[in-house]
Amino acid sequence: MPHTAPSSRPDLVQVKNLIKYFPVKGGLLQRTVAQVQAVDNVSFSIKAGETLGMVGESGCGKTTIGRTVLRLVPATSGEVLFEGRDVFKANSKELKALRRDMQIIFQDPFSSLDPRMPVGESIAEGLIVQGMSNGRERNEIVVNTLRKVGLEDYHARRYPHEFSGGQRQRIGIARALALRPKFIVCDEPVSALDVSIQAQVLNILRELQGEFDLTYLFIAHNLSVVEHISDRVAVMYLGKMVELADREALYREPLHPYTKALMSAIPMPDPTVKRERLALKGETPSPLNPPSGCRFHPRCPVAIDKCSKEEPVFREARPGHWVACWVAE
């Protein structure tokens, strides 16, 4: 079972009214003709030592949130506070210092590694950028970090193509860990791996969290994986957060119809037990032109007239359990 993050601990990351629109250019003058509403007014916080899981269909804005929080892509508007410091207002010197504490594990470890560079040099790159000039000290950190993720010293001299997918993801974890950050965005870190390798990587992440008191934003589309590692879970749909609750409360009794549909698709370990599948009608609408009111209403099995006209308020329906739905009990 995942460790329980003490509720008394302070917020490490606070995201307030985050909006990220991507402009669509067109015409001879390449003017902005439309906006892809990737993330639309999302707010949440993550406590120190906690893992917040973030789930939803492809294109719902999960990865965009992770990259915008780290300022890898600029936000349209909103605010992100890290230990009370405004990430979006930081100048280049302040941002460099923040980068030491905020890292990311990418979904595709192969494309995020330089194929011409030994993996030891890739891991050491962040140390060099942060001003560590002592080569011997750097090498010690690289070797120790590789050992932490289950690899050997000699792996530092090998190139990315010489490793399996699972080993490359371990290298990605080692690179994020080398600077001893406080906060790591895990962007679907196991989605490209076999199930048996997934479990190994998840266990490594859990062990490292306990050892280094790490805080994770864990982005995934696999609900079983999120249940295994998260303390709280946020559900995204078409750029909006529709539900946020403690892991046990969410999996025991989801309130939003979209969350219920996602839960019904989780395979049961016992083949004799049948779960009622809630099949959603239609396709996910385009973020270029999202529906009015609740964005889920065209596919919702319990939608009422109000759902198509008014956007639901993200409210605390039960203690610690937030939902954006007009018909949630």
Side-chain angles (χ1 to χ4, degrees):
M1 296 292 284
H3 76 291
T4 301
S7 58
S8 58
R9 296 188 72 169
D11 290 333
L12 186 75
V13 180
Q14 293 171 284
V15 178
K16 300 178 181 179
N17 309 115
L18 184 64
I19 294 175
K20 176 59 184 174
Y21 292 173
F22 291 97
V24 178
K25 306 285 186 180
L28 283 173
L29 300 176
Q30 287 296 293
R31 289 180 173 143
T32 299
V33 294
Q35 299 272 7
V36 176
Q37 299 179 27
V39 179
D40 194 3
N41 200 20
V42 169
S43 300
F44 60 91
S45 61
I46 311 174
K47 291 192 178 297
E50 179 186 33
T51 300
L52 176 68
M54 189 168 281
V55 297
E57 293 169 291
S58 295
C60 70
K62 310 183 298 293
T63 294
T64 303
I65 286 176
R67 295 185 179 213
T68 308
V69 164
L70 297 180
R71 218 171 116 177
L72 295 178
V73 294
T76 303
S77 67
E79 192 178 29
V80 172
L81 301 178
F82 179 80
E83 292 185 319
R85 291 172 286 172
D86 193 323
V87 176
F88 295 164
K89 290 181 180 175
N91 60 34
S92 57
K93 186 179 179 181
E94 292 165 340
L95 188 61
K96 184 178 176 181
L98 277 168
R99 291 263 187 261
R100 193 178 190 114
D101 290 330
M102 304 168 74
Q103 289 290 309
I104 185 169
I105 301 166
F106 292 100
Q107 179 177 356
D108 182 0
F110 191 60
S111 66
S112 65
L113 293 168
D114 188 336
R116 299 163 298 178
M117 189 182 284
V119 300
E121 290 184 25
S122 289
I123 295 169
E125 231 176 352
L127 299 169
I128 295 168
V129 169
Q130 290 292 338
M132 183 178 284
S133 56
N134 188 321
R136 181 178 292 179
E137 195 176 336
R138 278 203 312 268
N139 290 337
E140 281 182 18
I141 292 173
V142 168
V143 167
N144 288 335
T145 308
L146 282 171
R147 289 173 183 164
K148 291 287 182 192
V149 298
L151 295 174
E152 301 297 333
D153 301 9
Y154 63 85
H155 285 138
R157 298 185 294 277
R158 292 189 175 178
Y159 290 84
H161 72 271
E162 299 180 73
F163 295 92
S164 67
Q167 287 176 317
R168 282 198 287 262
Q169 196 55 283
R170 289 170 191 242
I171 293 162
I173 295 169
R175 186 173 56 179
L177 192 69
L179 288 165
R180 296 294 183 265
K182 298 174 182 176
F183 174 58
I184 299 179
V185 173
C186 306
D187 184 12
E188 305 216 25
V190 297
S191 63
L193 307 177
D194 293 339
V195 173
S196 58
I197 307 300
Q198 283 185 10
Q200 293 174 19
V201 171
L202 288 173
N203 287 336
I204 287 171
L205 289 171
R206 290 273 307 285
E207 288 166 12
L208 293 172
Q209 184 172 37
E211 185 173 348
F212 296 107
D213 196 25
L214 296 169
T215 303
Y216 292 145
L217 173 60
F218 190 92
I219 297 164
H221 58 258
N222 186 326
L223 282 149
S224 301
V225 168
V226 170
E227 184 181 17
H228 177 74
I229 198 167
S230 301
D231 297 302
R232 288 186 303 145
V233 180
V235 182
M236 293 288 298
Y237 183 80
L238 205 63
K240 292 278 190 184
M241 189 174 288
V242 296
E243 193 161 1
L244 173 66
D246 288 339
R247 171 182 51 88
E248 289 181 7
L250 190 85
Y251 281 79
R252 182 179 65 248
E253 196 171 356
L255 298 180
H256 199 280
Y258 177 62
T259 313
K260 291 177 182 178
L262 289 179
M263 297 292 181
S264 75
I266 300 174
M268 297 292 285
D270 185 350
T272 62
V273 177
K274 298 294 181 186
R275 177 185 271 142
E276 185 183 351
R277 181 71 191 270
L278 300 175
L280 297 176
K281 57 190 178 184
E283 296 292 324
T284 307
S286 169
L288 270 169
N289 186 25
S292 61
C294 174
R295 294 188 175 186
F296 185 59
H297 86 261
R299 305 175 70 194
C300 182
V302 294
I304 57 175
D305 191 45
K306 187 179 185 180
C307 298
S308 62
K309 295 173 182 173
E310 294 182 46
E311 185 178 323
V313 179
F314 195 60
R315 60 190 172 83
E316 192 171 17
R318 295 173 186 169
H321 197 144
W322 296 75
V323 65
C325 180
W326 292 123
V327 295
E329 61 263 38

